[in-house]
Amino acid sequence: MRSCLKTAHISVTLWRPLQVMEFYCESCETAMCLECTEGEHREHVTVPLRDVLEQHKAALKNQLDAIRNRLPQLTAAIELVNEISKQLTDRKNEAVTEISNTFEELEKALHQRKTALITDLENICSTKQKVLQAQLNALLQGKENIQSNCSFTEQALNHGSPTEVLLVQKQMGERMSALARHAFPEQPHENGHLDCQVETEGLRRSIQNLGVLLTTSTVGHTSVATGEGLRHAVVGQNTTVTVTTKDKDGELVKTGNAALRAQISAADGTVTETDITDNKNGTYEIGYTLRSEGEFSFSILLYGQPVRGSPFRLRAVKPCDAPQSPDDVKRRVKSPGGGGGGGGHVRQKAVRRPSSMYSTTKKKENPIEDELIYRVGTRGRERGEFSNLQGISTTSNGRIVVADSNNQCIQVFSNDGQFKLKFGVRGRSPGQLQRPTGIAVDLNGDIIVADYDNKWLSIFSPDGKFKNKIGAGRLMGPKGVALDKNGHIITADNKACCVFIFQSNGKLVTKFGAKGTSERQFAGPHFVAINNKNEIVVTDFHNHSVKVYNADGEFLFKFGSHGEGNGQFNAPTGVAVDGNGNIIVADWGNSRIQVFDSSGSFLSYINTTADPLYGPQGLALTSDGHVAVADSGNHCFKVYRYLQ
């Protein structure tokens, strides 16, 4: 092409005709002239331009159609956003009117109260004045009478004749005697006390805090609903679903008051009522009870928009048709596969369970029964088979590494579950494995294995070659292992009931913990994870809680208690932390996986309904953002979608 352009330029300069583009180079994907086919393109495959023209026009037309097909979607999106913008403006104007009317009414009420106070003040003052005026009139009248009598008598005495004095003496004497005896109201009949007390401080504070503006940044397409009740229910039994709200960036919204609506509709149009509880922390509980069996559509809307996955296909069965849940199976809570913080190793018996309580032989219309992407493994000793697998870890380059405990080996898989590597020899010498439990991978790809029975940590290269062991002579029964941001190796010692922190060369940095129930004590600590603040998260198996410490081992907080409710545990095992600091915990005794925020507040469950867990152990987040869990009782590991 460059040759053609150059030739064309020279031709114009010398008044020669422009070269015609008649050929097409498939290697360079460009049009060219005859001269170029014999020049720089002579080694390439060239065809007449007209032969490929229709092909390229068709390709362009397909691209044009594909992109034009997006226009209705964009138009609909524009209309929706404009509608929400209009709703927001309308609601703002309504709120302004509401605020104005409210404060005008308050101003009116204040004015009325002001008028009433002044009126009462005038009335009280007038009443008091009447009493005082009556007393004053009586006193003035008495004073005038005395002064008049005194003046008359003095006039008679000073200027009257003897006869006049004798004549007035009796009359004036009686009058003055009466005035002398008369009881005048000399003490005040009222007081001058009249104050107005208006307590304004409390009212002023109330006015300053008067009115609350309620809103959230919650949107439907990032918010998630979790729980078995999304797809399965038992007739007559109350069922609940948890909705966790998020903003446009997928960040958790931690305030309530969102406009959430849920509706369950049968094929005949019958609607089942739902009860929504706002937990005021960004999560909501939707409760319902179905009265008949069959298929239903379960719609969950936030501000009129569906949450992720809504509407859900819900199926209800009679109680007699519902299989026994693993939670109904009574079993003693003993530490699985790695000691119980006091007892010996308990060999866990796996129970074969159906892949789904609602599975059928025909192809599902909705293939997503739950968040399960795939599972790998059955009981056995070959590659891709396991016997009581324990720890699980992942690498940044797309690998999943599993500690196959009873088979005394390590197996490595790709993120899509393809077997890659198996290594490990049974034994008690350095480089051999006796009971691998915890596993972690450092930035160099080296694999750190906690060996419970050998009482040390073994370090292997990415291809499984033994490099070193650390912790020998100090550790009593290491279970979980993790690496912090400083390259330190942290392990939970199940038997010693403490946490050890080593440098990568094996030098002990510190340890903390002892057997007990207090904040800095453990009862069979199992697994350990590091959050984005370099804090240490430890599952305390027999204390049914998760405890969080800073990098130096200082206690920060704990969460969880014994039970089956949201945020409760029946012996927690595996733990992982996502990029947002949310804490994911394997609840061994309850056979479930729970998700908490960075402060330990319950958020949701990972939906494992279709292929239930039995005694989950280690947890890890894959490099592509999914959750991998060691399902020890079912001798496999599973990978689930994780909606952060």
Side-chain angles (χ1 to χ4, degrees), residues 259-556:
L260 179 67
R261 188 162 55 89
Q263 180 173 298
I264 300 176
S265 305
D268 61 1
T270 305
V271 175
T272 299
E273 292 186 3
T274 60
D275 180 43
I276 298 177
T277 301
D278 185 350
N279 296 325
K280 301 299 182 182
N281 62 358
T283 67
Y284 302 78
E285 302 294 328
I286 303 175
Y288 66 88
T289 303
L290 293 174
R291 300 301 176 188
S292 62
E293 58 182 321
E295 300 287 340
F296 298 83
S297 175
F298 191 175
S299 173
I300 303 176
L301 303 177
L302 263 172
Y303 298 104
Q305 299 301 308
V307 303
R308 189 180 298 182
S310 176
F312 302 93
R313 290 178 61 243
L314 172 62
R315 185 183 179 194
V317 298
K318 294 178 181 178
C320 58
D321 295 332
Q324 188 181 28
S325 164
D327 298 338
D328 298 330
V329 179
K330 301 298 182 182
R331 55 180 183 263
R332 296 175 61 194
V333 179
K334 291 187 178 180
S335 177
H345 170 52
V346 178
R347 184 176 293 274
Q348 187 179 19
K349 182 179 181 181
V351 175
R352 181 167 298 281
R353 306 167 59 213
S355 61
S356 170
M357 58 188 272
Y358 304 100
S359 62
T360 61
T361 54
K362 73 173 186 176
K363 185 177 180 180
K364 302 182 183 73
E365 293 177 20
N366 179 2
I368 304 176
E369 280 280 333
D370 58 9
E371 272 70 57
L372 180 68
I373 300 173
Y374 65 84
R375 61 179 282 171
V376 172
T378 56
R379 187 164 194 167
R381 299 191 61 84
E382 302 302 320
R383 63 184 194 177
E385 297 178 341
F386 306 98
S387 179
N388 191 26
L389 66 168
Q390 297 280 308
I392 192 166
S393 185
T394 58
T395 69
S396 58
N397 64 343
R399 293 288 183 264
I400 298 174
V401 189
V402 181
D404 190 359
S405 184
N406 288 4
N407 285 333
Q408 290 100 1
C409 68
I410 306 300
Q411 298 197 50
V412 182
F413 301 82
S414 64
N415 269 357
D416 58 0
Q418 299 300 312
F419 176 84
K420 293 296 179 183
L421 175 68
K422 178 180 178 182
F423 65 89
V425 177
R426 178 180 180 178
R428 296 187 178 275
S429 301
Q432 296 179 327
L433 299 172
Q434 190 62 25
R435 195 192 304 170
T437 48
I439 198 160
V441 183
D442 68 16
L443 293 176
N444 299 320
D446 286 345
I447 300 169
I448 298 97
V449 180
D451 193 325
Y452 188 86
D453 280 357
N454 277 332
K455 303 178 183 179
W456 62 54
L457 305 179
S458 295
I459 302 177
F460 298 88
S461 68
D463 57 358
K465 291 183 173 56
F466 176 69
K467 297 178 71 173
N468 193 16
K469 70 171 185 176
I470 64 175
R474 296 183 184 273
L475 298 173
M476 295 176 62
K479 176 76 175 182
V481 63
L483 292 113
D484 70 7
K485 294 180 179 179
N486 300 319
H488 293 152
I489 300 172
I490 295 95
T491 185
D493 193 318
N494 181 269
K495 276 192 175 180
C497 290
C498 64
V499 174
F500 285 82
I501 303 177
F502 296 98
Q503 291 181 1
S504 58
N505 60 8
K507 182 179 179 181
L508 180 66
V509 177
T510 187
K511 73 171 185 174
F512 60 91
K515 187 171 184 178
T517 59
S518 70
E519 294 173 345
R520 284 179 56 85
Q521 293 179 324
F522 304 99
H526 261 53
F527 287 90
V528 60
I530 308 300
N531 68 13
N532 46 16
K533 298 178 183 177
N534 213 34
E535 295 166 346
I536 303 169
V537 185
V538 186
T539 52
D540 195 354
F541 188 84
H542 289 291
N543 283 329
H544 309 289
S545 60
V546 176
K547 296 177 178 178
V548 182
Y549 303 83
N550 69 13
D552 298 320
E554 295 299 319
F555 177 81
L556 298 176

Side-chain angles (χ1 to χ4, degrees), residues 77-343:
I78 290 167
E79 290 175 356
L80 178 59
V81 173
N82 278 333
E83 177 60 26
I84 293 174
S85 178
K86 181 179 180 299
Q87 290 175 6
L88 182 61
T89 301
D90 291 346
R91 190 62 197 100
K92 183 206 73 171
N93 293 335
E94 291 172 6
V96 168
T97 302
E98 207 173 302
I99 292 169
S100 298
N101 291 341
T102 300
F103 279 84
E104 285 173 7
E105 289 175 5
L106 288 174
E107 289 171 5
K108 183 179 178 181
L110 281 172
H111 182 73
Q112 289 173 344
R113 181 57 181 160
K114 170 187 170 184
T115 302
L117 279 174
I118 292 174
T119 300
D120 291 345
L121 190 65
E122 294 284 359
N123 291 337
I124 293 170
C125 182
S126 176
T127 301
K128 283 179 169 281
Q129 288 288 19
K130 285 179 181 178
V131 173
L132 292 173
Q133 192 61 47
Q135 181 183 12
L136 189 60
N137 290 340
L139 291 172
L140 289 172
Q141 186 62 48
K143 180 181 177 182
E144 183 181 348
N145 288 340
I146 290 174
Q147 287 176 336
S148 174
N149 278 279
C150 288
S151 177
F152 182 82
T153 302
E154 287 176 349
Q155 186 70 20
L157 290 172
N158 293 331
H159 303 289
S161 63
T163 302
E164 291 174 336
V165 171
L166 290 172
L167 288 173
V168 301
Q169 186 271 332
K170 181 178 180 181
Q171 180 183 0
M172 296 307 295
E174 290 176 355
R175 191 174 291 176
M176 285 189 287
S177 294
L179 287 171
R181 293 192 306 271
H182 186 76
F184 293 103
E186 297 178 14
Q187 299 304 317
H189 286 183
E190 255 297 354
N191 57 59
H193 180 210
L194 184 53
D195 291 336
C196 179
Q197 288 187 350
V198 180
E199 175 53 54
T200 61
E201 188 55 37
L203 179 61
R204 198 183 306 277
R205 283 198 300 269
S206 296
I207 290 173
Q208 288 172 347
N209 296 308
L210 182 61
V212 176
L213 299 176
L214 300 178
T215 187
T216 76
S217 55
T218 296
V219 290
H221 69 277
T222 58
S223 297
V224 295
T226 56
E228 181 178 349
L230 284 175
R231 297 178 177 87
H232 307 134
V234 177
V235 173
Q237 292 185 10
N238 183 258
T239 307
T240 59
V241 168
T242 300
V243 175
T244 302
T245 57
K246 301 182 181 183
D247 65 15
K248 66 179 180 63
D249 298 318
E251 296 291 331
L252 295 171
V253 175
K254 298 186 179 181
T255 57
N257 304 302
L260 179 67
R261 188 162 55 89
Q263 180 173 298
I264 300 176
S265 305
D268 61 1
T270 305
V271 175
T272 299
E273 292 186 3
T274 60
D275 180 43
I276 298 177
T277 301
D278 185 350
N279 296 325
K280 301 299 182 182
N281 62 358
T283 67
Y284 302 78
E285 302 294 328
I286 303 175
Y288 66 88
T289 303
L290 293 174
R291 300 301 176 188
S292 62
E293 58 182 321
E295 300 287 340
F296 298 83
S297 175
F298 191 175
S299 173
I300 303 176
L301 303 177
L302 263 172
Y303 298 104
Q305 299 301 308
V307 303
R308 189 180 298 182
S310 176
F312 302 93
R313 290 178 61 243
L314 172 62
R315 185 183 179 194
V317 298
K318 294 178 181 178
C320 58
D321 295 332
Q324 188 181 28
S325 164
D327 298 338
D328 298 330
V329 179
K330 301 298 182 182
R331 55 180 183 263
R332 296 175 61 194
V333 179
K334 291 187 178 180
S335 177

